Amino acid sequence: MQKIAVVALGGNALLRENEAGTIEQQETNTTETLENLIFLINEGFELVITHGNGPQVGNILMRNDAGQQLYDIAPMPLDVCVADSQGGIGYMIERMIRNVLQKHGIKKNVITLVSMTLIDPNDPAFSNPTKGIGKIYSEKEAKKLQDEKGWIFKPSAKANGGWRRMVSSPQPVDIMNREIIEDLVRAGNIVIAAGGGGIPVYFDENNDLRTLDAVIDKDLASALLATKIKADEFYILTDVSFIYKDFGKPTQEKLEFLNYADTMKYLEAGTFSEGTMAPKIKACLYFIKNGGGKSVITEAKKLEDKSYGSKITMEYDK
């Protein structure tokens, strides 16, 4: 019986902390991560791969700034930068996984899709931008850009006295071309899609596609895609092997087997950090609530060891 798994690659799967971000480093990291997906293929799963783009799109935005300041090159808007990152990262993943498949004697087609994600332009998130993007500016530079471009800036916790451009993070409503993605994966192809959460778009009063400056959570968009294509399992690959209650505190406790109700209780009690694990938990719960069979959060290298990884398996009681 055909099985589908959606696998969301975290940022560390491509670019590790304290690395310069050279293409050689990213290709090595990507290959190491993709090697672990062979286990899922051998288990009979057809794969859809999604990925983050935070560091990469940030670098593209900084190249925007440098090109404008040094050579008067017209900067591209955020949606085009997200599309650029999807194309570049998707190409890298596709090339690396083709090499991994060839190494293991597996014959499969691989295709990368630049994906748009539908959002609601009236989403409350637009009244409170919370996602920092691009470089860190001085307060003077930030205020000048705010006056010139209407961008919103806030002090950055990552740099003393620095300011960063902030954009909204609306909820994903639908993934465009999801029917095509499902057709392709059910035909036995590996599909790379919804990179960076997708390019945020909406339909205006004339039914024309428009965009807004926003960043969509990659894990939530991946869970939505997994639900829409009726995937059986949803994996989030990150830099920890398990979900932990009270991570980093004396009361830290590993949570390996979870059901929907208990996980919701932990989430509502503030057990998981809003900046790191909570969005991943919400994505996993969304998948289970909407008919998914199993959500797993773990490290890529732990996939084959079934004793690792936190699993949310109990279906939502409708």
Side-chain angles (χ1 to χ4, degrees):
M1 182 178 176
Q2 186 186 51
K3 300 182 292 184
I4 294 175
V6 172
V7 182
L9 305 184
N12 68 300
L14 310 176
L15 181 59
R16 307 282 160 79
E17 192 175 354
N18 299 322
E19 288 184 339
T22 66
I23 190 61
E24 291 80 11
Q25 289 171 333
Q26 294 188 64
E27 287 176 353
T28 297
N29 296 336
T30 301
T31 300
E32 289 176 357
T33 298
L34 295 174
E35 276 281 355
N36 296 279
L37 302 192
I38 296 299
F39 165 72
L40 289 174
I41 295 173
N42 290 336
E43 288 279 295
F45 284 95
E46 304 297 343
L47 299 182
V48 174
I49 300 172
T50 67
H51 61 83
N53 69 342
Q56 292 85 358
V57 79
N59 290 340
I60 291 170
L61 288 165
M62 286 190 277
R63 290 201 293 270
N64 250 356
D65 292 336
Q68 184 179 28
Q69 291 172 14
L70 297 175
Y71 303 107
D72 200 27
I73 297 172
M76 292 294 103
L78 180 57
D79 62 307
V80 175
C81 294
V82 173
D84 284 350
S85 71
Q86 278 194 15
I89 296 170
Y91 153 71
M92 179 176 63
I93 293 173
E94 180 174 336
R95 188 161 66 87
M96 296 304 104
I97 200 166
R98 285 180 181 274
N99 291 342
V100 170
L101 292 171
Q102 188 274 333
K103 172 185 170 183
H104 290 271
I106 298 172
K107 293 185 178 180
K108 276 185 171 293
N109 288 319
V110 186
I111 186 168
T112 302
L113 297 178
V114 173
S115 306
M116 292 180 282
T117 298
L118 285 173
I119 59 169
D120 179 356
N122 299 310
D123 190 303
F126 286 106
S127 64
N128 182 32
T130 57
K131 296 289 185 181
I133 61 170
K135 63 178 285 189
I136 294 171
Y137 296 89
S138 68
E139 183 176 1
K140 181 179 179 181
E141 291 172 323
K143 289 184 176 179
K144 182 173 183 291
L145 286 168
Q146 191 161 290
D147 291 339
E148 290 177 354
K149 299 178 179 290
W151 292 349
I152 296 172
F153 286 85
K154 293 181 182 178
S156 172
K158 295 184 178 181
N160 292 331
W163 290 63
R164 205 167 183 209
R165 180 185 172 193
M166 307 300 289
V167 296
S168 302
S169 185
Q171 292 291 310
V173 174
D174 203 355
I175 308 295
M176 297 197 69
N177 291 327
R178 58 177 168 84
E179 297 92 347
I180 295 171
I181 294 170
E182 182 175 356
D183 288 346
L184 286 168
V185 71
R186 291 195 182 279
N189 306 291
I190 295 175
V191 183
I192 302 161
I199 305 158
V201 295
Y202 68 96
F203 289 101
D204 68 11
E205 62 277 6
N206 297 317
N207 213 33
D208 290 330
L209 270 177
R210 304 292 183 190
T211 188
L212 289 167
D213 282 349
V215 174
I216 300 170
D217 183 87
K218 173 263 300 178
D219 294 318
L220 287 177
S222 299
L224 175 63
L225 175 59
T227 299
K228 293 293 187 181
I229 67 172
K230 299 177 286 294
D232 300 275
E233 298 186 4
F234 174 50
Y235 291 80
I236 295 179
L237 304 187
T238 184
D239 55 358
V240 294
S241 300
F242 295 95
I243 301 167
Y244 290 89
K245 176 185 176 184
D246 301 332
F247 184 73
K249 299 178 181 178
T251 54
Q252 177 175 305
E253 176 187 347
K254 180 174 70 177
L255 302 173
E256 185 174 358
F257 298 103
L258 294 153
N259 61 37
Y260 183 93
D262 288 342
T263 310
M264 274 299 299
K265 289 177 183 176
Y266 284 130
L267 184 66
E268 291 169 352
T271 299
F272 310 116
S273 170
E274 278 298 329
T276 53
M277 189 55 69
K280 294 175 172 55
I281 299 291
K282 291 175 183 177
C284 289
L285 289 173
Y286 178 89
F287 178 67
I288 296 299
K289 179 179 179 179
N290 289 280
K294 180 171 72 174
S295 295
V296 179
I297 297 176
T298 192
E299 290 180 272
K301 63 184 179 182
K302 302 296 186 182
L303 269 181
E304 195 164 354
D305 187 343
K306 294 184 179 180
S307 67
Y308 275 83
S310 294
K311 300 102 180 164
I312 306 172
T313 56
M314 182 177 175
E315 290 190 6
Y316 179 68
D317 184 4
K318 295 182 176 65

